[in-house]
């Protein structure tokens, strides 16, 4: 009876090790693709890798829950030999992760209880939970359930609803500062807040109340003359008063056109 249980235990452990090895290989392959082939990786391929990993994890869980699998909780592991020297066989079995089975490593690898710090934190949480009254605890439970229900409702809503809510929030949110807008309008329209310094350079003098023309000399008198055959009709002049725009009479415009036509090389 005992020998049969031992054989059954060995067979289940070997099967479990095989399943975990397949799972580890799939994880390594997927991580390699993510790190080195991310530019050629497509979303359907990623979903296929996730489906493969999920199926392998379900297989391991089914193996552990199988009736023929002995309960590993009832098995006790006792270290028979502890040595500070390197063990090549152990390093090979653990893929160089555990090269030494010493007094320093054994408590971490064979621990069946949490770390002392974690145990202390659990004790503090348990003591705080006992100090809370039933009414306060019930209120906290209701608040947590309400928060979880709201979160699940948001997650289950269609994506279009969430996009619509986001768009509405963006529309309602102001995208400008009214104070800055009013200050800009006052500066452009009334010069409020602008400095009164003048740009460097000579300032043209003019009569008070009249606009000053800059950018070139002011012509007081413009005389238009033509050739010897047109001097009689071209002897007029245009007089411009200072500060006032000049106005050319229609007779002078006609003389200018005729003079231009006579001076054209094809009309000679």
């Amino acid at each position: 009876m005992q020998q049969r249980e031992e054989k059954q235990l060995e067979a289940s452990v070997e099967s479990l090790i095989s399943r975990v090895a397949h799972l580890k290989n799939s994880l390594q392959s997927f991580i390699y693709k993510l790190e080195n082939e991310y530019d050629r990786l497509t979303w359907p391929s990623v979903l296929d890798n996730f489906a493969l990993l999920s199926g392998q994890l379900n297989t391991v869980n089914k193996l552990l829950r199988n009736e023929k699998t002995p309960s590993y909780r009832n098995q006790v592991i006792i270290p028979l030999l502890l040595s500070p020297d390197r063990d090549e066989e152990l390093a090979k079995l653990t893929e160089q992760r555990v090269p030494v089975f010493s007094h320093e490593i054994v408590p971490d690898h064979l621990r069946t209880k949490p770390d002392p710090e974690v145990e202390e934190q659990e004790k503090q949480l348990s003591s705080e939970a006992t100090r809370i009254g039933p009414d306060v605890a019930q209120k906290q439970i209701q608040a947590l359930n309400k928060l979880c229900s709201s979160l699940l409702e948001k997650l289950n809503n269609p994506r279009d609803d969430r996009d619509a809510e986001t768009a509405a929030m963006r529309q309602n949110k102001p995208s400008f500062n009214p104070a800055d807008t009013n200050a800009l309008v006052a500066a452009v329209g009334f010069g409020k807040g602008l400095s009164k310094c003048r740009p460097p350079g000579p300032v043209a003098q003019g009569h008070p109340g009249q606009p000053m023309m800059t950018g070139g000399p002011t012509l007081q008198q413009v005389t238009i003359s033509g050739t010897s055959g047109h001097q009689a009709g071209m002897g007029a002049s245009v007089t411009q008063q200072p500060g006032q725009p000049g106005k050319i009479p229609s007779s002078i415009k006609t003389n200018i056109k005729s003079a231009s036509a006579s001076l054209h090389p094809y009309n000679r």
Side-chain angles (χ1 to χ4, degrees):
M1 182 71 178
Q2 186 177 0
Q3 292 180 354
R4 188 179 67 181
E5 291 179 355
E6 290 179 356
K7 290 181 179 180
Q8 189 176 3
L9 178 62
E10 292 178 0
S12 63
V13 170
E14 290 179 358
S15 177
L16 181 61
I17 291 174
S18 176
R19 299 293 183 183
V20 172
H22 290 310
L23 178 60
K24 183 188 68 174
N25 293 333
S26 299
L27 280 172
Q28 290 178 349
S29 176
F30 186 41
I31 292 173
Y32 178 82
K33 290 180 181 178
L34 291 176
E35 293 179 349
N36 300 294
E37 300 178 1
Y38 57 89
D39 53 343
R40 293 175 296 174
L41 200 62
T42 59
W43 181 242
S45 177
V46 173
L47 293 179
D48 292 340
N49 283 274
F50 274 119
L52 177 61
L53 295 174
S54 177
Q56 291 176 345
L57 286 173
N58 290 331
T59 303
V60 172
N61 289 330
K62 289 180 180 179
L63 180 62
L64 293 175
R65 296 173 183 175
N66 193 359
E67 297 178 355
K68 297 181 179 180
T69 302
S71 177
Y72 296 107
R73 296 177 181 271
N74 300 329
Q75 306 298 325
V76 180
I77 299 177
I78 301 175
L80 301 178
L81 178 63
L82 299 177
S83 174
D85 300 332
R86 180 181 176 86
D87 190 348
E88 296 296 337
E89 185 177 358
L90 180 63
K92 184 178 179 180
L93 290 174
T94 59
E95 297 181 353
Q96 306 299 326
R97 289 192 298 270
V98 185
V100 178
F101 203 64
S102 61
H103 295 78
E104 184 180 0
I105 296 178
V106 166
D108 294 332
H109 288 78
L110 301 183
R111 182 185 299 277
T112 57
K113 296 176 64 177
D115 294 337
E117 297 178 357
V118 178
E119 288 185 348
E120 186 65 25
Q121 292 179 0
E122 287 184 354
K123 289 181 181 179
Q124 292 179 1
L125 294 175
S126 299
S127 61
E128 292 178 1
T130 54
R131 288 197 301 267
I132 297 177
D135 298 336
V136 178
Q138 189 65 26
K139 290 181 180 180
Q140 292 181 357
I141 292 173
Q142 292 178 357
L144 181 60
N145 291 335
K146 184 178 179 180
L147 180 62
C148 293
S149 301
S150 177
L151 181 60
L152 289 174
E153 184 178 357
K154 290 182 178 180
L155 292 175
N156 293 329
N157 282 339
R159 184 176 179 181
D160 297 338
D161 296 344
R162 294 197 299 269
D163 293 342
E165 293 178 0
T166 304
M169 292 176 62
R170 290 179 179 176
Q171 291 178 358
N172 295 332
K173 184 178 180 181
S175 59
F176 64 93
N177 190 349
D180 294 343
T181 304
N182 294 332
L184 182 60
V185 172
V188 174
F190 307 102
K192 184 178 180 180
L194 300 179
S195 60
K196 298 181 180 180
C197 61
R198 295 181 178 179
V203 180
Q205 300 294 332
H207 295 283
Q210 294 181 354
M212 292 181 293
M213 306 294 293
T214 59
T218 303
L219 298 179
Q220 301 295 334
Q221 185 174 4
V222 179
T223 302
I224 304 174
S225 60
T227 58
S228 58
H230 297 81
Q231 289 181 356
M234 300 291 294
S237 62
V238 180
T239 304
Q240 180 181 355
Q241 299 296 332
Q244 295 181 356
K247 191 173 182 180
I248 302 175
S250 59
S251 59
I252 297 179
K253 291 182 180 180
T254 305
N255 294 333
I256 291 174
K257 291 181 180 179
S258 60
S260 300
S262 63
L263 292 175
H264 199 277
Y266 294 103
N267 296 331
R268 290 181 180 177

